Amino acid sequence: MSASNMRVFIAGHRGMVGSALLRQLENQENLTIVTTTRAELDLTNQHAVNAFFAAQQIDQVYLAAAKVGGIHANNTYPADFIYQNLMIEANIIEAAHQNDVQKLLFLGSSCIYPKFAEQPMNEDALLTGILEPTNEPYAIAKIAGIKLCESYNRQYGRDYRSVMPTNLYGPEDNFHPDNSHVIPGLMRRFHEAKVSNAPEVVIWGSGKPLREFLHVDDMAAASIHVMNLDQALYQNHTTPMLSHINVGSGVDCSISELAQTIAKVTGYQGSLVFDATKPDGSPRKLMDSSKLWSLDWQPNYDLERGLAHTYEWFKANALTLRMA
Ligand code: GFB
């Protein structure tokens, strides 16, 4: 294989992370980006995924396809979250191996770590305690994805790597009023409250949980960085059975502070009301990303600038927002 004909498959290129990867990779020289839509290829269908890989001559895979959602969606559709994610990752990883794809990057989630993991959570916290119940099925599927990569590396000598993002936000997020994550959910609610002059905006839960957020363009840059690390360097920073790397901003804030920042960014001046009947989820999720930082990567956006960028995108795309 020469560098000039490297074919890179971005699975999930219409999602928030996949589209950010596409924006950053599509102008790189020596790469041909391969994508496919859900209508063309059902990633939960093993036969179809095998046929796709057999036809496409793929050299590298970014596995960014997943069924994702916020706390309400995870709690309401647990079967969809565990089934679809297990199928997508098992089908793609096995088909990649069968078709001799040597390099793959799997994208996981910070919810793989135990609910009461020591903070900030480092990679060693995996499988040391009980998970947060609102997203346990999704987390189990993502843990299985890491273990699939490690198992193919150990048994077949593959170079399948995993990155665990903290809570992400940015362009192409899902702005559904109920099924989204907290940033798109609140951004939309504050925007609509501003437009309609509503006196108050409701925030789910107590406002006390602490979350770390990362702009998706930083996540895409980190993913490409980890994919391109020299294999010996990657292996020096991981072990065969603990091979994933955290990707975070290193800064967390309370949901109440987040809501105030979104109010500022959107220009909403009414009151904030907390609905304690809604679940809080994990009390705190701050990643220890020092491993990645020691591998020469740092995030670019701070939260307020990232939110302002996302709000500009939201207003420019208000008529075509994804709401799943
Ligand atoms: O973003 P979120 O759904 O993700 O919720 P998790 C974060 C916090 O924000 C929770 C509160 O304490 C919510 O109760 N919150 C307040 C809201 N208002 C809202 C709102 O309007 N919408 C939403 N969604 N939350 C997810 C997992 O957990 O994190 C997924 O369910 C995934 O599996 C993702 O791992 C990264 O951080 O609680």
Side-chain angles (χ1 to χ4, degrees):
M1 178 189 71
S2 77
S4 60
N5 65 358
M6 176 129 92
R7 289 173 60 77
V8 177
F9 175 39
I10 304 176
H13 75 289
R14 286 193 170 163
M16 178 171 63
V17 179
S19 58
L21 283 167
L22 183 61
R23 286 195 296 277
Q24 291 183 28
L25 288 172
E26 67 188 347
N27 296 323
Q28 288 194 5
E29 285 180 11
N30 305 324
L31 295 188
T32 301
I33 306 296
V34 179
T35 59
T36 179
T37 63
R38 189 174 301 194
E40 291 161 349
L41 176 62
D42 173 4
L43 293 172
T44 66
N45 179 328
Q46 184 180 24
H47 179 73
V49 173
N50 286 342
F52 173 81
F53 271 83
Q56 287 292 335
Q57 305 287 312
I58 288 161
D59 299 304
Q60 263 188 16
V61 177
Y62 285 89
L63 209 178
K67 165 87 178 157
V68 297
I71 192 166
H72 172 78
N74 269 272
N75 220 5
T76 310
Y77 313 110
D80 295 351
F81 276 82
I82 191 164
Y83 171 75
Q84 291 185 30
N85 286 303
L86 285 171
M87 293 300 283
I88 291 168
E89 64 207 28
N91 288 344
I92 291 179
I93 291 168
E94 166 67 10
H97 166 63
Q98 288 298 339
N99 289 278
D100 212 16
V101 177
Q102 185 61 10
K103 281 187 84 172
L104 176 146
L105 188 78
F106 172 69
L107 281 93
S109 166
S110 61
C111 70
I112 58 162
Y113 294 118
K115 175 170 182 154
F116 300 112
E118 196 181 315
Q119 306 283 322
M121 304 179 290
N122 72 33
E123 288 84 355
D124 299 352
L126 183 64
L127 295 172
T128 59
I130 57 159
L131 297 163
E132 156 59 32
T134 54
N135 59 33
E136 186 195 70
Y138 175 76
I140 294 278
K142 288 294 183 184
I143 293 170
I146 300 173
K147 294 298 162 190
L148 278 163
C149 290
E150 290 173 355
S151 301
Y152 282 77
N153 293 345
R154 289 168 56 215
Q155 188 174 341
Y156 298 114
R158 294 296 177 203
D159 184 6
Y160 294 171
R161 306 177 184 184
S162 301
V163 279
M164 296 303 117
T166 194
N167 288 32
L168 301 174
Y169 68 95
E172 304 289 352
D173 209 341
N174 171 13
F175 287 85
H176 188 280
D178 299 321
N179 293 337
S180 58
H181 289 102
V182 60
I183 288 182
L186 290 186
M187 189 169 281
R188 178 176 171 180
R189 212 172 295 149
F190 276 107
H191 175 78
E192 289 175 351
K194 185 180 91 168
V195 170
S196 66
N197 269 319
E200 60 182 43
V201 164
V202 175
I203 321 291
W204 298 353
S206 65
K208 293 186 182 141
L210 296 160
R211 291 290 182 275
E212 175 191 29
F213 298 101
L214 186 75
H215 191 283
V216 71
D217 287 345
D218 282 333
M219 182 61 208
S223 301
I224 295 166
H225 185 78
V226 171
M227 176 71 108
N228 291 334
L229 284 174
D230 175 74
Q231 188 176 7
L233 191 61
Y234 184 81
Q235 288 175 345
N236 277 345
H237 284 74
T238 56
T239 68
M241 294 182 69
L242 201 69
S243 70
H244 58 288
I245 294 187
N246 289 345
V247 186
S249 61
V251 182
D252 64 351
C253 69
S254 70
I255 295 303
S256 169
E257 288 166 331
L258 171 73
Q260 288 165 32
T261 311
I262 297 179
K264 181 176 164 195
V265 164
T266 56
Y268 177 71
Q269 292 182 332
S271 339
L272 277 49
V273 176
F274 291 90
D275 176 0
T277 65
K278 293 281 200 299
D280 271 344
S282 288
R284 189 179 188 198
K285 278 196 283 182
L286 175 64
M287 308 264 253
D288 177 349
S289 302
S290 53
K291 192 172 277 191
L292 183 58
W293 296 341
S294 74
L295 287 162
D296 277 341
W297 184 85
Q298 289 279 329
N300 176 27
Y301 282 94
D302 66 33
L303 182 60
E304 192 167 332
R305 193 164 73 83
L307 290 173
H309 175 262
T310 306
Y311 189 47
E312 289 308 311
W313 183 91
F314 170 90
K315 286 186 290 184
N317 292 275
L319 297 178
T320 54
L321 291 176
R322 193 157 55 90
M323 280 186 266

Short mmCIF file of all heavy atoms in Angstrom, two decimals, residues 232-271:
data_model
loop_
_atom_site.label_atom_id
_atom_site.label_comp_id
_atom_site.label_asym_id
_atom_site.label_seq_id
_atom_site.Cartn_x
_atom_site.Cartn_y
_atom_site.Cartn_z
N ALA A 232 4.63 1.94 18.29
CA ALA A 232 5.45 1.66 19.48
C ALA A 232 5.14 2.69 20.58
O ALA A 232 5.05 2.34 21.76
CB ALA A 232 6.93 1.70 19.11
N LEU A 233 4.93 3.94 20.18
CA LEU A 233 4.61 4.99 21.16
C LEU A 233 3.25 4.71 21.80
O LEU A 233 3.08 4.80 23.02
CB LEU A 233 4.60 6.34 20.43
CG LEU A 233 4.54 7.60 21.27
CD1 LEU A 233 5.75 7.70 22.19
CD2 LEU A 233 4.49 8.84 20.35
N TYR A 234 2.27 4.35 20.96
CA TYR A 234 0.93 4.02 21.51
C TYR A 234 1.05 2.85 22.49
O TYR A 234 0.48 2.87 23.58
CB TYR A 234 -0.01 3.67 20.35
CG TYR A 234 -1.45 3.40 20.79
CD1 TYR A 234 -2.32 4.45 21.04
CD2 TYR A 234 -1.91 2.10 20.98
CE1 TYR A 234 -3.63 4.21 21.45
CE2 TYR A 234 -3.22 1.86 21.40
CZ TYR A 234 -4.06 2.91 21.62
OH TYR A 234 -5.34 2.68 22.04
N GLN A 235 1.79 1.84 22.10
CA GLN A 235 1.92 0.65 22.96
C GLN A 235 2.69 0.96 24.23
O GLN A 235 2.44 0.35 25.27
CB GLN A 235 2.56 -0.49 22.17
CG GLN A 235 1.59 -1.05 21.14
CD GLN A 235 2.21 -2.12 20.25
OE1 GLN A 235 3.41 -2.26 20.18
NE2 GLN A 235 1.36 -2.86 19.54
N ASN A 236 3.61 1.93 24.18
CA ASN A 236 4.33 2.32 25.40
C ASN A 236 3.43 2.98 26.42
O ASN A 236 3.73 2.99 27.60
CB ASN A 236 5.43 3.36 25.05
CG ASN A 236 6.67 2.68 24.57
OD1 ASN A 236 6.82 1.47 24.75
ND2 ASN A 236 7.56 3.44 23.95
N HIS A 237 2.34 3.59 25.94
CA HIS A 237 1.44 4.32 26.83
C HIS A 237 0.20 3.50 27.20
O HIS A 237 -0.70 4.00 27.89
CB HIS A 237 1.01 5.65 26.19
CG HIS A 237 2.09 6.68 26.23
ND1 HIS A 237 3.19 6.63 25.42
CD2 HIS A 237 2.25 7.78 27.01
CE1 HIS A 237 3.98 7.66 25.68
NE2 HIS A 237 3.42 8.37 26.63
N THR A 238 0.09 2.29 26.71
CA THR A 238 -1.08 1.45 26.98
C THR A 238 -0.58 0.04 27.31
O THR A 238 0.62 -0.22 27.26
CB THR A 238 -2.02 1.40 25.76
OG1 THR A 238 -1.28 0.93 24.63
CG2 THR A 238 -2.62 2.77 25.44
N THR A 239 -1.53 -0.86 27.64
CA THR A 239 -1.16 -2.26 27.78
C THR A 239 -2.13 -3.07 26.93
O THR A 239 -3.20 -2.55 26.55
CB THR A 239 -1.25 -2.75 29.24
OG1 THR A 239 -2.63 -2.77 29.63
CG2 THR A 239 -0.46 -1.87 30.19
N PRO A 240 -1.82 -4.33 26.63
CA PRO A 240 -2.71 -5.10 25.75
C PRO A 240 -4.14 -5.20 26.29
O PRO A 240 -5.09 -5.29 25.50
CB PRO A 240 -2.05 -6.48 25.69
CG PRO A 240 -0.60 -6.20 25.93
CD PRO A 240 -0.57 -5.05 26.91
N MET A 241 -4.32 -5.18 27.62
CA MET A 241 -5.67 -5.31 28.17
C MET A 241 -6.15 -4.01 28.83
O MET A 241 -7.12 -4.00 29.58
CB MET A 241 -5.73 -6.49 29.14
CG MET A 241 -5.51 -7.79 28.37
SD MET A 241 -5.63 -9.27 29.36
CE MET A 241 -7.36 -9.33 29.76
N LEU A 242 -5.48 -2.91 28.52
CA LEU A 242 -5.93 -1.58 28.99
C LEU A 242 -5.43 -0.60 27.95
O LEU A 242 -4.47 0.12 28.16
CB LEU A 242 -5.36 -1.28 30.37
CG LEU A 242 -6.10 -0.22 31.17
CD1 LEU A 242 -7.48 -0.71 31.59
CD2 LEU A 242 -5.30 0.21 32.37
N SER A 243 -6.12 -0.62 26.79
CA SER A 243 -5.53 0.03 25.62
C SER A 243 -6.18 1.35 25.25
O SER A 243 -5.80 1.96 24.27
CB SER A 243 -5.64 -0.92 24.42
OG SER A 243 -6.99 -1.04 24.03
N HIS A 244 -7.20 1.77 26.01
CA HIS A 244 -7.93 2.98 25.61
C HIS A 244 -7.27 4.24 26.19
O HIS A 244 -6.57 4.17 27.20
CB HIS A 244 -9.39 2.90 26.06
CG HIS A 244 -9.54 2.72 27.54
ND1 HIS A 244 -9.24 1.54 28.17
CD2 HIS A 244 -9.95 3.58 28.50
CE1 HIS A 244 -9.45 1.68 29.46
NE2 HIS A 244 -9.88 2.91 29.69
N ILE A 245 -7.55 5.37 25.54
CA ILE A 245 -6.97 6.66 25.97
C ILE A 245 -8.09 7.68 26.14
O ILE A 245 -8.95 7.84 25.26
CB ILE A 245 -5.94 7.16 24.92
CG1 ILE A 245 -4.74 6.19 24.90
CG2 ILE A 245 -5.49 8.57 25.23
CD1 ILE A 245 -3.58 6.65 24.05
N ASN A 246 -8.10 8.36 27.30
CA ASN A 246 -9.12 9.38 27.58
C ASN A 246 -8.89 10.64 26.76
O ASN A 246 -7.74 11.05 26.55
CB ASN A 246 -9.06 9.78 29.06
CG ASN A 246 -9.56 8.69 29.99
OD1 ASN A 246 -10.21 7.74 29.55
ND2 ASN A 246 -9.28 8.84 31.28
N VAL A 247 -10.01 11.28 26.38
CA VAL A 247 -9.93 12.57 25.67
C VAL A 247 -10.89 13.56 26.34
O VAL A 247 -12.12 13.44 26.21
CB VAL A 247 -10.31 12.44 24.18
CG1 VAL A 247 -10.05 13.77 23.48
CG2 VAL A 247 -9.54 11.33 23.50
N GLY A 248 -10.32 14.49 27.09
CA GLY A 248 -11.16 15.49 27.76
C GLY A 248 -10.52 16.86 27.70
O GLY A 248 -9.44 17.04 27.14
N SER A 249 -11.23 17.83 28.30
CA SER A 249 -10.71 19.20 28.35
C SER A 249 -9.97 19.47 29.64
O SER A 249 -9.25 20.46 29.76
CB SER A 249 -11.89 20.18 28.23
OG SER A 249 -12.77 19.99 29.32
N GLY A 250 -10.20 18.60 30.65
CA GLY A 250 -9.53 18.77 31.94
C GLY A 250 -10.24 19.72 32.87
O GLY A 250 -9.78 19.98 33.99
N VAL A 251 -11.39 20.26 32.44
CA VAL A 251 -12.11 21.25 33.24
C VAL A 251 -13.56 20.81 33.37
O VAL A 251 -14.17 20.44 32.36
CB VAL A 251 -12.12 22.64 32.53
CG1 VAL A 251 -12.83 23.68 33.37
CG2 VAL A 251 -10.71 23.07 32.19
N ASP A 252 -14.11 20.84 34.59
CA ASP A 252 -15.55 20.54 34.70
C ASP A 252 -16.29 21.70 35.34
O ASP A 252 -15.68 22.64 35.87
CB ASP A 252 -15.82 19.21 35.42
CG ASP A 252 -15.37 19.19 36.87
OD1 ASP A 252 -14.70 20.13 37.31
OD2 ASP A 252 -15.70 18.21 37.56
N CYS A 253 -17.62 21.65 35.25
CA CYS A 253 -18.46 22.69 35.87
C CYS A 253 -19.78 22.04 36.25
O CYS A 253 -20.10 20.96 35.77
CB CYS A 253 -18.67 23.87 34.92
SG CYS A 253 -19.69 23.49 33.49
N SER A 254 -20.53 22.70 37.13
CA SER A 254 -21.84 22.15 37.51
C SER A 254 -22.83 22.43 36.37
O SER A 254 -22.64 23.34 35.55
CB SER A 254 -22.33 22.79 38.80
OG SER A 254 -22.68 24.13 38.56
N ILE A 255 -23.92 21.64 36.34
CA ILE A 255 -24.96 21.86 35.34
C ILE A 255 -25.57 23.26 35.53
O ILE A 255 -25.92 23.94 34.55
CB ILE A 255 -26.04 20.75 35.42
CG1 ILE A 255 -25.42 19.39 35.07
CG2 ILE A 255 -27.23 21.06 34.53
CD1 ILE A 255 -24.76 19.28 33.70
N SER A 256 -25.65 23.71 36.78
CA SER A 256 -26.16 25.06 37.04
C SER A 256 -25.24 26.11 36.40
O SER A 256 -25.70 27.05 35.74
CB SER A 256 -26.27 25.22 38.55
OG SER A 256 -26.49 26.52 38.87
N GLU A 257 -23.93 25.96 36.57
CA GLU A 257 -22.99 26.90 35.94
C GLU A 257 -23.06 26.83 34.42
O GLU A 257 -23.01 27.84 33.73
CB GLU A 257 -21.54 26.59 36.39
CG GLU A 257 -21.26 26.95 37.83
CD GLU A 257 -19.96 26.32 38.35
OE1 GLU A 257 -19.55 25.24 37.86
OE2 GLU A 257 -19.37 26.91 39.25
N LEU A 258 -23.20 25.60 33.92
CA LEU A 258 -23.33 25.44 32.47
C LEU A 258 -24.55 26.20 31.96
O LEU A 258 -24.49 26.92 30.95
CB LEU A 258 -23.47 23.95 32.12
CG LEU A 258 -23.82 23.68 30.65
CD1 LEU A 258 -22.64 23.95 29.74
CD2 LEU A 258 -24.32 22.24 30.47
N ALA A 259 -25.69 26.04 32.67
CA ALA A 259 -26.93 26.70 32.25
C ALA A 259 -26.75 28.22 32.23
O ALA A 259 -27.20 28.90 31.31
CB ALA A 259 -28.07 26.29 33.17
N GLN A 260 -26.05 28.74 33.23
CA GLN A 260 -25.83 30.19 33.27
C GLN A 260 -24.96 30.64 32.08
O GLN A 260 -25.19 31.70 31.48
CB GLN A 260 -25.16 30.59 34.58
CG GLN A 260 -26.12 30.51 35.76
CD GLN A 260 -25.40 30.54 37.10
OE1 GLN A 260 -24.37 31.17 37.25
NE2 GLN A 260 -25.94 29.84 38.07
N THR A 261 -23.98 29.81 31.72
CA THR A 261 -23.12 30.18 30.57
C THR A 261 -23.91 30.11 29.27
O THR A 261 -23.76 30.97 28.39
CB THR A 261 -21.89 29.24 30.51
OG1 THR A 261 -21.30 29.17 31.80
CG2 THR A 261 -20.87 29.73 29.50
N ILE A 262 -24.80 29.12 29.16
CA ILE A 262 -25.62 29.04 27.93
C ILE A 262 -26.59 30.22 27.87
O ILE A 262 -26.83 30.79 26.80
CB ILE A 262 -26.35 27.68 27.84
CG1 ILE A 262 -25.31 26.54 27.74
CG2 ILE A 262 -27.30 27.64 26.63
CD1 ILE A 262 -25.91 25.15 27.68
N ALA A 263 -27.13 30.62 29.03
CA ALA A 263 -28.01 31.80 29.06
C ALA A 263 -27.23 33.03 28.55
O ALA A 263 -27.74 33.81 27.73
CB ALA A 263 -28.52 32.04 30.48
N LYS A 264 -25.99 33.16 29.00
CA LYS A 264 -25.17 34.31 28.58
C LYS A 264 -24.90 34.26 27.07
O LYS A 264 -25.09 35.26 26.36
CB LYS A 264 -23.84 34.25 29.36
CG LYS A 264 -22.89 35.37 29.06
CD LYS A 264 -21.67 35.25 29.97
CE LYS A 264 -20.54 36.11 29.43
NZ LYS A 264 -19.25 35.77 30.05
N VAL A 265 -24.51 33.09 26.59
CA VAL A 265 -24.16 32.95 25.17
C VAL A 265 -25.38 33.19 24.27
O VAL A 265 -25.27 33.80 23.20
CB VAL A 265 -23.55 31.54 24.93
CG1 VAL A 265 -23.53 31.18 23.46
CG2 VAL A 265 -22.14 31.47 25.52
N THR A 266 -26.55 32.75 24.71
CA THR A 266 -27.75 32.91 23.88
C THR A 266 -28.42 34.27 24.11
O THR A 266 -29.34 34.63 23.39
CB THR A 266 -28.79 31.80 24.18
OG1 THR A 266 -29.09 31.81 25.58
CG2 THR A 266 -28.27 30.43 23.79
N GLY A 267 -27.99 34.98 25.16
CA GLY A 267 -28.59 36.29 25.45
C GLY A 267 -29.93 36.20 26.15
O GLY A 267 -30.72 37.15 26.14
N TYR A 268 -30.19 35.08 26.84
CA TYR A 268 -31.47 34.92 27.57
C TYR A 268 -31.35 35.58 28.95
O TYR A 268 -30.37 35.34 29.67
CB TYR A 268 -31.80 33.43 27.71
CG TYR A 268 -33.05 33.19 28.51
CD1 TYR A 268 -34.30 33.51 27.97
CD2 TYR A 268 -32.99 32.70 29.81
CE1 TYR A 268 -35.45 33.33 28.71
CE2 TYR A 268 -34.14 32.51 30.55
CZ TYR A 268 -35.37 32.83 30.00
OH TYR A 268 -36.51 32.66 30.73
N GLN A 269 -32.36 36.36 29.34
CA GLN A 269 -32.24 37.09 30.60
C GLN A 269 -33.29 36.73 31.64
O GLN A 269 -33.38 37.36 32.68
CB GLN A 269 -32.28 38.60 30.32
CG GLN A 269 -31.03 39.02 29.56
CD GLN A 269 -30.95 40.48 29.27
OE1 GLN A 269 -31.98 41.14 29.13
NE2 GLN A 269 -29.74 40.99 29.14
N GLY A 270 -34.10 35.69 31.39
CA GLY A 270 -35.12 35.28 32.36
C GLY A 270 -34.52 34.42 33.46
O GLY A 270 -33.31 34.37 33.67
N SER A 271 -35.42 33.70 34.21
CA SER A 271 -34.94 32.90 35.35
C SER A 271 -34.71 31.44 34.97
O SER A 271 -35.27 30.94 34.00
CB SER A 271 -35.94 32.91 36.50
OG SER A 271 -36.80 33.96 36.45
#
